[in-house]
Amino acid sequence: MLRKKQVFFFSLLVILLVLLTSGIYFGLGQRNYEYSSEEFLMDTLVSIKASGANPALLKEAVTGAFAEMRRLEQLTDRFPAPGTNAFQISDVCRINEAAGSAPVKVDQDVFAMLLLSRRYYELTQGTFDITIGPVMDVWGFGKPEQTVPSSYDLQKALSLVNGGRLLLDEQEQTAFLQSPGMSVDLGAVAKGYAVEKAARFLEEHGVERALVNAGGNIRTIGKNKEGSAWKIGIQDPRNGAELVGVLSLEDESAVTSGDYNRFFTSQGVRYHHLISPQTGYPVNKNMSVTVVTHDGGQADILSTTLFLLDPEEALQLAEELEETEAFLVTADQRILVTSGLRGKVEVKQGDDYRYDKS
Amino acid sequence: MITAMTKADKIFILGVLLVGITAYLIKGSLLWGAVQPAHMQAVVKVGGEVIRTVQLSPEETPLRFSVQGKQGLAVVEVSGEKIRMLEADCPDQICVKRGWISSAGESIICVPNEIVIYIDAPTAVDAVTY
C-alpha cells in the first residue's frame, strides 16, 4: 500500500514538473512580434506597423487592411481618364460624370464619406465643401501642372461650388450633383477615412497595437511596442527636420493640414492647395493645423476645415466639438493648443514660435 | 533506503508545486505584456539618404546586400538580430573592423563612402504628422 502511494505521488510530481517546465518554456517563447509593411497608396506612402504575439495573424490583418485601403483609393480617385476601367470603378468619377443628369448609386463607404462631409459642410456653413472640385481643377491641383487661374475662370468655377446642391438619398444610397459641371473632390476626406477603416480592420482582426501612417495622416491602436503611448511628432511647418510638438496618443488619430506640402510658386508668390470654397484662393491664416480625435476620417476633415478658419475661431470650434483637440501654428508664428490637449502634448516652441497659452 | 512519506512530506510537495505553478502563471502573464520587446530595425544611409531599413529578428533569414557608396561598393550582412559591414571599398577598413552591432543607438560609419548603419533607437518618436 505504502509503495503504491509513493509511486502515485512520485508520478504526480514528475507530471507536474514536466508541465511546469514546458509552461515556462512556452511562456518564454511568447514573444512580441512586429509586422510592418509599406505601400504607395492615395498619392502617398502608407505604412502599417502592428505588434503582438501571433506573427501570422499580424501579417494577415495588415495585408487585409492594405487591401481595404486600395479598394477605397479606387472608389475615390478623381483623376482616371474617362472610358478607362479605373474611371468606371471610381464612384467619384461616376458621380461627377452624371452631374446635372442622374443620381448615382455608390458604395456604402463612399456614401459614409459623403454623409460625414455634409455634416461638416453644415456645421461650418460652407467653409468645408467637397463640391470644390471645379475650383481645384482651375488651379490644377491633383494634375501635373498648376497655374494661377484668371479671375473669370475662377468666378465661373466658384459659381459651381455649392454643397447644398449635392443630394444624398440614404434609402437608395445615391448621390446627385444637381448642376452640370459640378464635381466632388474627396481629397480632404478619403485618406483619413481609409486610415480609419484600415485601423478598424486591424482591431476587428485582433490587433491590439498598431500604427497606420498615410503620409503623416496617423491613427494609433493601443500602445506602441514598448508598451507606452505612441509618440507622434508634429513637424515644424518651416523646418522639416524639426518638430514643434510631440503628442502622446493611444487609440487616437492625428492629422495635419499644412501650407508646405502641396504648393507651387508663380511670379515669386507661393500658392498652396488649401483653398477656400468661398473665395477660391489659398487661405494664409495658419501654417499648419493638427487635429487629434478618435476617428481618422473626422480628423482629416477637421484639419482642413480648421486650417481655413481664423486661428481663434478654429480653436474655439475645436473646443466646442466633443473629443476634438487641435494644435495650431498660426501665420503670425503663434502656437495655439486646445485645453484638452495640454496634458497630451509636449510643445517645442524653439526660437521661431511663441506658445500662446491664453 | 526508501521510507513511507509522511503527511508533512505530502503537504510540503504540494506546497512547492503550488508556489511553482503560481510563479509560472504570474511570470507567463507578465511576459506577454512588457518584458519581451518587439524586434529592432537597422537603417542604412548613404550621403544622408535612407536607402534601406532591415528588420533585426531571429525569424528573418540572413541576408547580404551591396550598397553603392560615394567611393565604391560595400557589402552589408544581416544575421538574426545583428548587422555588420562585411566588405567595403575604403582604405582604412574602420567600418569592417567595427564588427557586428545589435543594440539601439549603436552605429557603423564608413566616412569615405558616407555610409551610416544604425540601430533604430526606441527613444525617438514613433511617427511624425505633417
Side-chain angles (χ1 to χ4, degrees), chain A residues 210-258:
Chain A
L211 179 82
V212 182
N213 184 352
N217 200 316
I218 285 161
R219 168 69 146 80
T220 60
I221 298 174
K223 296 174 189 295
N224 69 10
K225 61 185 177 182
E226 282 84 29
S228 49
W230 292 96
K231 295 275 179 251
I232 307 299
I234 299 172
Q235 188 178 314
D236 182 330
R238 292 294 175 264
N239 180 355
E242 298 291 325
L243 302 176
V244 283
V246 178
L247 298 161
S248 296
L249 303 183
E250 270 179 53
D251 296 313
E252 282 169 309
S253 178
V255 178
T256 300
S257 284

Side-chain angles (χ1 to χ4, degrees), chain A residues 65-77:
Chain A
F66 270 116
E68 194 59 21
M69 291 186 80
R70 266 197 303 275
R71 188 180 71 84
L72 293 173
E73 177 195 38
Q74 291 171 350
L75 284 168
T76 56
D77 192 352

Side-chain angles (χ1 to χ4, degrees), chain A residues 41-358:
Chain A
L41 272 175
M42 307 189 112
D43 224 3
T44 192
L45 181 67
V46 179
S47 82
I48 302 181
K49 270 193 259 186
S51 66
N54 183 343
L57 179 145
L58 294 174
K59 188 176 180 182
E60 199 187 306
V62 170
T63 308
F66 270 116
E68 194 59 21
M69 291 186 80
R70 266 197 303 275
R71 188 180 71 84
L72 293 173
E73 177 195 38
Q74 291 171 350
L75 284 168
T76 56
D77 192 352
R78 197 162 74 87
F79 297 105
T84 61
N85 201 25
F87 186 90
Q88 282 309 312
I89 292 170
S90 167
D91 278 355
V92 168
C93 288
R94 290 169 52 242
I95 294 168
N96 294 344
E97 191 190 29
S101 61
V104 173
K105 172 123 176 119
V106 297
D107 174 90
Q108 59 177 16
D109 282 309
V110 173
F111 199 79
M113 285 182 231
L114 296 172
L115 275 181
L116 193 65
S117 303
R118 185 160 73 183
R119 176 137 61 98
Y120 288 97
Y121 167 76
E122 285 168 357
L123 187 76
T124 61
Q125 283 116 44
T127 301
F128 179 78
D129 192 339
I130 54 170
T131 65
I132 197 165
V135 172
M136 297 307 273
D137 287 343
V138 293
W139 282 94
F141 284 109
K143 294 179 175 175
E145 282 198 28
Q146 288 87 45
T147 46
V148 181
S150 70
S151 106
Y152 173 80
D153 286 346
L154 192 57
Q155 288 312 314
K156 209 171 100 186
L158 265 177
S159 71
L160 292 165
V161 177
N162 186 347
R165 292 181 62 75
L166 167 62
L167 299 188
L168 302 177
D169 185 329
E170 298 201 38
Q171 290 285 306
E172 301 290 323
Q173 289 220 342
T174 58
F176 178 36
L177 289 167
Q178 289 180 291
S179 310
M182 285 181 78
S183 66
V184 160
D185 181 339
L186 290 179
V189 194
K191 214 197 295 174
Y193 185 93
V195 165
E196 182 63 28
K197 192 86 182 172
R200 292 197 185 165
F201 185 92
L202 295 173
E203 286 170 338
E204 282 158 18
H205 287 76
V207 174
E208 291 170 348
R209 291 178 178 184
L211 179 82
V212 182
N213 184 352
N217 200 316
I218 285 161
R219 168 69 146 80
T220 60
I221 298 174
K223 296 174 189 295
N224 69 10
K225 61 185 177 182
E226 282 84 29
S228 49
W230 292 96
K231 295 275 179 251
I232 307 299
I234 299 172
Q235 188 178 314
D236 182 330
R238 292 294 175 264
N239 180 355
E242 298 291 325
L243 302 176
V244 283
V246 178
L247 298 161
S248 296
L249 303 183
E250 270 179 53
D251 296 313
E252 282 169 309
S253 178
V255 178
T256 300
S257 284
D259 62 7
Y260 49 88
N261 283 326
R262 290 178 190 193
F263 68 89
F264 69 97
T265 308
S266 174
Q267 295 181 319
V269 182
R270 256 175 67 137
Y271 299 92
H272 63 79
H273 76 300
L274 294 157
I275 289 175
S276 162
Q278 282 136 353
T279 66
Y281 281 96
V283 178
N284 293 310
K285 296 166 179 170
N286 299 291
M287 295 187 203
S288 80
V289 173
T290 302
V291 171
V292 175
T293 68
H294 285 278
D295 183 292
Q298 285 179 31
D300 198 3
I301 291 179
L302 277 168
S303 70
T304 307
T305 307
L306 298 186
F307 185 94
L308 300 175
L309 296 172
D310 283 322
E312 269 68 26
E313 208 185 327
L315 196 69
Q316 197 195 332
L317 178 59
E319 293 280 10
E320 282 166 15
L321 292 169
E322 268 180 46
E323 294 188 336
T324 303
E325 306 301 340
F327 184 109
L328 291 88
V329 183
T330 67
D332 54 1
Q333 291 158 303
R334 287 178 299 144
I335 291 174
L336 301 176
V337 175
T338 52
S339 52
L341 197 63
R342 283 180 196 154
K344 279 191 230 170
V345 69
E346 183 196 331
V347 180
K348 298 166 180 284
Q349 58 180 341
D351 298 330
D352 298 329
Y353 308 103
R354 211 168 63 250
Y355 182 20
D356 193 341
K357 293 180 195 180
S358 59

Side-chain angles (χ1 to χ4, degrees), chain A residues 19-20 22-27, chain B residues 19-29:
Chain A
L19 282 176
L20 199 61
S22 64
I24 287 170
Y25 175 75
F26 285 118
Chain B
V19 168
I21 290 165
T22 317
Y24 155 61
L25 288 176
I26 291 170
K27 202 178 178 199
S29 64

